Amino acid sequence: MCLAVPVKIVSLSKDRYTAVVDAGGVRREANVAMIEEPQVGDYILLHAGFAIQKWSTDDVKEYNEIIQRRENSSE
Amino acid sequence: MNVDKLIESISNKSDRIGRKVNLMEVCGTHTMAAFRSGIRTRLPQQVRLLSGPGCPVCVTSDRYIDHAIELAMTENRIITTFGDMMRVPGSRGSLSLAKARGKDIRVIYSPQQALVAARKNPGREVVFLGVGFETTTPLVAWTIQNAFSQKIPNYSVLCAHKTIMPAMRALCDSDDVRVDGFLCPGHVSVITGAEIYQPLCREYHAPCVIAGFEPEDILLSIDMLLNQIISGEASVEIQYTRSVTTEGNKLAQDCVNDVFEPCDVPWRGMGVIPSSGLSVRSSYKGYDAELKFPDIRVNEVKRDTGCRCGDVLRAVITPSECGLFKKECTPDNPIGPCMVSSEGTCAAYYRYSRIDE
Amino acid sequence: MNRKIITSAHGGGGTATKEIIDIAREYLGNPALDQLGDSALLDLDGTGIAFTTDSYVIDPIFFPGGDIGKIAVCGTVNDIAMEGAKPLYMSLSLILEEGLEFELLERVIASVASAAREAGVLVVTGDTKVVEHGRAGGGLFINTAAVGRRYEGCDTSVSNAAPGDLVVVTGTIGDHGVTIINEREELELESGLKSDVAALNTLVEELLTSVPGIKSLRDPTRGGLAAALCDIAGASKAGIEIEEVKIKVKREVKAACDLLGFDPLNIANEGKAVIVCSEDSADEVLKICRDNEFGRESVLIGSVVSEHPETVVLRTTMGGKRIVDMPRGENLPRIC
């Protein structure tokens, strides 16, 4: 019941709760009010236009490994 | 771990257990992911994935759709909704049909767009259809807080939000189906934290693994559940460590607690489940569409269509065991929400696997 | 109480649209119409011709990668080409909204001219009507008709696929539909998303005049690749198996689909073709396609089989299987 995708914060606005995020080359505004101290460069989980969780660099690494392993095994 | 190795591990464990094992993936998004990725066709016969009631659209009553359509009937109102709700049949048609008849019903991607619509249309009332579990509720709560602090008077929410744990308890309490373990909803858990499932282990000895949504996550979670079954233990494990913590998202939880309070609500096919729903607190009553528009009177209409969505949601039957499945009830002519919802169990069976099962 | 009405689902191209087609057949049915091809195949005193009509109601009328004028030409030309004919002449019928700026109208017509020139077709007749403000979508609607001469000895009907044949797609899928949905539904995605709208008649001509083994052609417009494959499987009463790993989706299209909950297989394309060909002609087909500017990313995605007739099955990247079902209704963004 929950479509959410990992995206990267590419800019933050002054009001502190709006960010622009990038997912695979597609950008959108996102509401980051429910993330503690969001920074540009952070990866967050986006659900219906809102960030619901921050990912650490290890989390991003784990995710990329899953995707990479999938791509390797299908070649 | 690679997929083939995971499948092998699961098969070996299934052999060791030596009997049929029912694992319930509560969340509709898990149902869809399992079907779409094709992993279901690679699982051993003895490991059965049952779909549960974690489809917010499926468990929403006819009355809610009827209410939403009635609200749309008044000229000055704009109804905003997630796309998931548009084609769900109420007792007198769907939101999609009402839109075809000229009512102002708009599909949005984010609840924030509903607030924007309210700002852009000051002379008109904007109602947002608040449907969804714990993943979505904080977002809607935030829009209400924001509307309150920005003094936006023409915004309100028709709330049908629910919480998943009471339904999981109700499933454990029921005699209809034996569940050997739960694949817990990954994104709900991002908000709530992993702790909420502890009662299922303590009181019902049900193994719980909080699963991510990549097919590899689901397979690993199944493997972890089988481990627990073999060892005879029952605990809450987090497979989806990328996103889920024990405490969850405090900011989101605070937002929800500020705006909403628990209430008893009916779940389609499961009756009233105590404290499983949310309603807008009196401090924000100006944003509660149920209170704001008292002129709307909608009765619960009992339709005897033969639909067995309720039994499907509780995993008492699979869609194939419903007499209407593939005959009168198809995605083109859905009788119940399990067939029309983007993640309804019946829709999933029909669309992805009707030759196998 | 409630009389049956047309809803947006009826524009979806699936079984809802069929309800409308059934009414048309009831009143109008004749052998040519009953083929229900993208174009009608007719015999005019010994000359085989293809005749088609289309309407374009796309909103917004200008979008990344094209506009309503370009799509009116390309879509019409492709309908003729997919039926195995060389498009020659077309009509251009404009339904204009009061309030539409002349500058926009001229831009659209210039675009029609440019696309027609590139495709090598002549616009030979037209019409204009004006309707009240608000009654023509993004400002104007376009209706077209076209005629073409059938290539000798060619039959590209969707019912020709047979077990053993192979399935080729001429490039990436989902580009057009995702671009339009983003623009129209104000999903507010910023990206390099672009429609793939293109006229494929020169590519089709090369294929049909060089390769004898072309069995079926279909452009995967409304309903996407899924609908095109389901049509072929259904009409041919054969099964189709495709490999997920072979299907090409642009990175941005995939990202947009992930965000919105769409399946690229179900999303419209306006510059791609699905080609079913005999096994021994596949290499030649791929070579010709990849040499063409609109087919550079052509790829073999699967085959026609005797198992599970009339059903399309996808072998997933997980090594599992699932059915590819006929898409229904519109693609709406979802949260679940």
Side-chain angles (χ1 to χ4, degrees), chain B residues 29-42:
Chain B
T29 314
H30 274 142
T31 311
M32 272 306 166
F35 269 106
R36 287 201 46 190
S37 65
I39 58 175
R40 286 180 65 111
T41 57
R42 294 199 66 186

Side-chain angles (χ1 to χ4, degrees), chain B residues 258-290:
Chain B
D258 181 48
V259 175
F260 293 113
E261 58 192 355
C263 59
D264 301 343
V265 293
W267 289 51
R268 186 188 294 268
M270 295 177 77
V272 173
I273 304 182
S275 295
S276 64
L278 293 172
S279 62
V280 181
R281 288 187 189 273
S282 53
S283 36
Y284 291 100
K285 64 175 185 282
Y287 299 93
D288 184 347
E290 186 109 35

Side-chain angles (χ1 to χ4, degrees), chain B residues 86-87 92-102 332 334, chain C residues 2-20 222 328-330 332:
Chain B
M86 282 298 279
R87 294 180 60 227
R92 271 166 294 144
S94 64
L95 289 161
S96 185
L97 202 56
K99 182 173 180 186
R101 291 208 167 93
D332 283 312
Chain C
N2 285 319
R3 301 226 209 122
K4 195 170 158 72
I5 57 172
I6 298 289
T7 68
S8 54
H10 290 102
T15 36
T17 307
K18 192 172 170 297
E19 292 180 342
I20 302 175
R222 214 164 36 174
R328 291 165 171 82
E330 311 163 76
L332 295 171

Side-chain angles (χ1 to χ4, degrees), chain B residues 37-331:
Chain B
S37 65
I39 58 175
R40 286 180 65 111
T41 57
R42 294 199 66 186
L43 291 173
Q45 286 264 32
Q46 300 271 67
V47 175
R48 290 184 69 213
L49 280 186
L50 304 179
S51 303
C55 165
V57 167
C58 303
V59 298
T60 298
S61 60
D62 274 2
R63 186 184 172 279
Y64 183 83
I65 305 283
D66 293 347
H67 195 150
I69 294 174
E70 280 302 317
L71 280 170
M73 290 298 163
T74 305
E75 276 318 303
N76 224 21
R77 290 187 199 136
I78 302 171
I79 306 299
T80 53
T81 176
F82 293 126
D84 314 58
M85 294 298 288
M86 282 298 279
R87 294 180 60 227
V88 180
S91 63
R92 271 166 294 144
S94 64
L95 289 161
S96 185
L97 202 56
K99 182 173 180 186
R101 291 208 167 93
K103 301 305 161 199
D104 196 341
I105 298 172
R106 305 183 191 181
V107 171
I108 56 176
Y109 161 71
S110 172
Q112 193 149 6
Q113 289 172 290
L115 256 188
V116 171
R119 271 197 219 104
K120 285 192 178 157
N121 295 274
R124 301 178 66 192
E125 288 286 339
V126 173
V127 179
F128 177 69
L129 302 185
V131 175
F133 289 105
E134 288 97 325
T135 325
T136 316
T137 314
L139 286 49
V140 181
W142 187 90
T143 64
I144 291 176
Q145 280 183 334
N146 196 259
F148 181 84
S149 65
Q150 304 285 313
K151 298 189 174 31
I152 299 172
N154 58 328
Y155 175 73
S156 60
V157 173
L158 188 68
C159 183
H161 288 296
K162 298 180 173 59
T163 51
I164 195 64
M165 250 302 279
M168 291 172 81
R169 270 180 177 279
L171 286 169
C172 288
D173 280 332
S174 127
D175 290 325
D176 287 326
V177 62
R178 190 196 79 227
V179 175
D180 297 304
F182 285 103
L183 276 146
C184 298
H187 291 139
V188 159
S189 307
V190 166
I191 304 295
T192 61
E195 282 303 292
I196 60 158
Y197 306 107
Q198 284 296 349
L200 295 175
C201 305
R202 271 196 322 264
E203 295 166 35
Y204 302 97
H205 203 73
C208 294
V209 172
I210 302 172
F213 295 89
E214 297 302 322
E216 293 88 342
D217 291 324
I218 299 173
L219 286 174
L220 189 49
S221 302
I222 292 173
D223 194 66
M224 288 162 75
L225 277 171
L226 294 181
N227 271 342
Q228 287 198 38
I229 293 171
I230 288 172
S231 70
E233 68 173 269
S235 63
V236 179
E237 289 184 88
I238 305 173
Q239 178 277 324
Y240 193 21
T241 52
R242 300 194 291 284
S243 303
V244 177
T245 59
T246 326
E247 356 38 74
N249 183 329
K250 280 263 164 277
L251 284 174
Q253 291 166 18
D254 290 345
C255 193
V256 170
N257 292 333
D258 181 48
V259 175
F260 293 113
E261 58 192 355
C263 59
D264 301 343
V265 293
W267 289 51
R268 186 188 294 268
M270 295 177 77
V272 173
I273 304 182
S275 295
S276 64
L278 293 172
S279 62
V280 181
R281 288 187 189 273
S282 53
S283 36
Y284 291 100
K285 64 175 185 282
Y287 299 93
D288 184 347
E290 186 109 35
L291 296 178
K292 203 173 185 184
F293 307 108
D295 53 305
I296 307 292
R297 295 261 176 276
V298 189
N299 297 321
E300 187 76 55
V301 176
K302 288 237 176 296
R303 289 189 296 149
D304 191 11
T305 55
C307 172
R308 297 189 67 187
C309 264
D311 290 335
V312 171
L313 287 165
R314 290 179 304 128
V316 176
I317 58 166
T318 63
S320 337
E321 293 167 293
C322 170
L324 302 177
F325 181 69
K326 286 200 306 189
K327 305 189 187 82
E328 291 91 334
C329 188
T330 64

Side-chain angles (χ1 to χ4, degrees), chain B residues 3-4 29 32 35-39 41-42 55-57 82-84 86-87 92 96-97 100-101 107-109 113 131-132 136 215-216 219 330-332 341-343 349-356, chain C residues 1-9 14-16 185-189 244 259-264 266 308 311 313-314 316-326 328-330 332-336:
Chain B
V3 172
D4 292 334
T29 314
M32 272 306 166
F35 269 106
R36 287 201 46 190
S37 65
I39 58 175
T41 57
R42 294 199 66 186
C55 165
V57 167
F82 293 126
D84 314 58
M86 282 298 279
R87 294 180 60 227
R92 271 166 294 144
S96 185
L97 202 56
R101 291 208 167 93
V107 171
I108 56 176
Y109 161 71
Q113 289 172 290
V131 175
T136 316
E216 293 88 342
L219 286 174
T330 64
D332 283 312
S341 166
S342 51
E343 51 166 35
Y349 270 70
Y350 187 97
R351 286 170 54 197
Y352 296 124
S353 80
R354 63 183 179 275
I355 45 170
D356 290 327
Chain C
M1 171 182 45
N2 285 319
R3 301 226 209 122
K4 195 170 158 72
I5 57 172
I6 298 289
T7 68
S8 54
T15 36
E185 303 291 341
E186 295 174 337
L187 298 171
E188 300 163 345
L189 301 177
E244 185 172 29
L259 275 169
L260 303 168
F262 294 148
D263 184 348
N266 299 343
H308 48 79
T311 305
V313 170
L314 177 83
T316 67
T317 51
M318 292 289 117
K321 281 190 182 173
R322 66 162 169 102
I323 292 179
V324 175
D325 201 34
M326 178 64 95
R328 291 165 171 82
E330 311 163 76
L332 295 171
R334 53 189 183 95
I335 55 153
C336 292

Side-chain angles (χ1 to χ4, degrees), chain C residues 5 131 141 159 162 180 183 185 194 211 219 222 284 293:
Chain C
I5 57 172
V131 294
F141 292 155
S159 57
I180 301 305
E183 298 288 317
E185 303 291 341
K194 233 170 75 147
V211 186
D219 56 345
R222 214 164 36 174
E284 187 63 16
E293 69 178 300

